[in-house]
Amino acid sequence: DGGITQSPKYLFRKEGQNVTLSCEQNLNHDAMYWYRQDPGQGLRLIYYSQIVNDFQKGDIAEGYSVSREKKESFPLTVTSAQKNPTAFYLCASSSGGRQPQHFGDGTRLSIL
Amino acid sequence: QKEVEQDPGPLSVPEGAIVSLNCTYSNSAFQYFMWYRQYSRKGPELLMYTYSSGNKEDGRFTAQVDKSSKYISLFIRDSQPSDSATYLCAIEGSNYKLTFGKGTLLTVNP
């Protein structure tokens, strides 16, 4: 089945540690996105990529980094500079502008 | 004024009721309007997508857009317990980025 796979489902980070969240899609979509969802806050855009080897900062990029070396993959690294990383992280993809985004089932990140 | 404001809820209705979920937006450049449904601990699932003023119907769901009032609605007819979820409106502007409402938690009671 075509879709977006995020892993792991749950992740724990120690102080000072970088962690990487995986996002893979087999929808042949050009654009991919990372959002953060906090209770009562809605979804906020972290980074997005409209094409391989190119990506842009979203509204809350500080403390995060991404890469887009393959069309189907868009990993997100939460660095130790992100002081409040506990949240639900959602990856999405779309076939381009003016097309709706489709989401994975998220990764819940917590601090040990 | 926030770019997208959504009725916060929570909303609790009996099975079979008609549900109305609403969002307002401030930027007249917003052009594309979406509704997503999100079950607990899951990602949002696209329900409706429209870009013009007026109504769009899909089964028990109707999306309504009024660009002159900057107001969008999602109606659910004959609501079912399986409709219990958080509903998110999302609006796309000229820069292809989505702005989301904060979501309305709906509970449909059997």
Side-chain angles (χ1 to χ4, degrees):
Chain A
D1 280 18
I4 301 169
T5 301
Q6 290 188 242
S7 62
K9 195 171 178 66
Y10 299 96
L11 187 57
F12 297 91
R13 194 190 90 169
K14 296 179 182 177
E15 293 288 340
Q17 188 180 45
N18 293 352
V19 291
T20 297
L21 285 60
S22 170
C23 178
E24 303 275 333
Q25 54 98 0
N26 61 4
L27 299 168
N28 200 34
H29 285 169
D30 287 313
M32 297 187 74
Y33 310 81
W34 274 105
Y35 293 89
R36 170 180 172 139
Q37 186 175 33
D38 295 280
Q41 289 260 18
L43 275 70
R44 292 182 290 169
L45 183 64
I46 304 173
Y47 268 98
Y48 63 105
S49 167
Q50 302 206 331
I51 197 167
V52 175
N53 292 322
D54 189 37
F55 49 83
Q56 287 77 41
K57 292 182 179 180
D59 300 319
I60 55 163
E62 186 175 348
Y64 300 98
S65 66
V66 293
S67 62
R68 186 85 187 277
E69 297 175 2
K70 298 187 294 183
K71 186 175 184 177
E72 59 269 23
S73 178
F74 191 39
L76 173 74
T77 296
V78 183
T79 74
S80 57
Q82 172 49 245
K83 297 306 178 190
N84 184 24
T86 297
F88 190 45
Y89 290 87
L90 289 159
C91 178
S93 70
S94 77
S95 53
R98 305 293 176 253
Q99 296 302 315
Q101 295 178 22
H102 299 271
F103 286 83
D105 274 340
T107 292
R108 188 165 300 277
L109 175 62
S110 302
I111 298 299
L112 282 177
Chain B
Q1 182 183 12
K2 291 187 171 55
E3 284 196 299
V4 178
E5 303 231 31
Q6 184 169 1
D7 290 350
L11 196 56
S12 181
V13 302
E15 183 174 352
I18 297 174
V19 176
S20 172
L21 302 162
N22 307 294
C23 288
T24 59
Y25 61 96
S26 58
N27 189 340
S28 57
F30 286 157
Q31 299 179 30
Y32 293 82
F33 308 92
M34 281 147 272
W35 284 96
Y36 287 86
R37 175 175 64 194
Q38 185 176 23
Y39 292 115
S40 182
R41 301 187 185 87
K42 293 287 193 179
E45 170 195 8
L46 181 69
L47 282 178
M48 302 288 282
Y49 171 64
T50 185
Y51 57 87
S52 56
S53 281
N55 293 352
K56 181 177 181 179
E57 191 172 316
D58 184 0
R60 296 185 296 110
F61 298 92
T62 300
Q64 186 176 80
V65 174
D66 182 346
K67 288 188 178 181
S68 62
S69 301
K70 300 190 186 68
Y71 192 89
I72 65 172
S73 298
L74 178 71
F75 297 97
I76 307 174
R77 289 186 301 280
D78 187 25
S79 56
Q80 303 294 310
S82 58
D83 295 327
S84 298
T86 296
Y87 290 80
L88 300 162
C89 63
I91 305 178
E92 182 178 307
S94 55
N95 60 1
Y96 305 126
K97 288 165 63 176
L98 288 186
T99 302
F100 284 84
K102 292 186 178 181
T104 301
L105 176 62
L106 171 67
T107 301
V108 181
N109 301 299

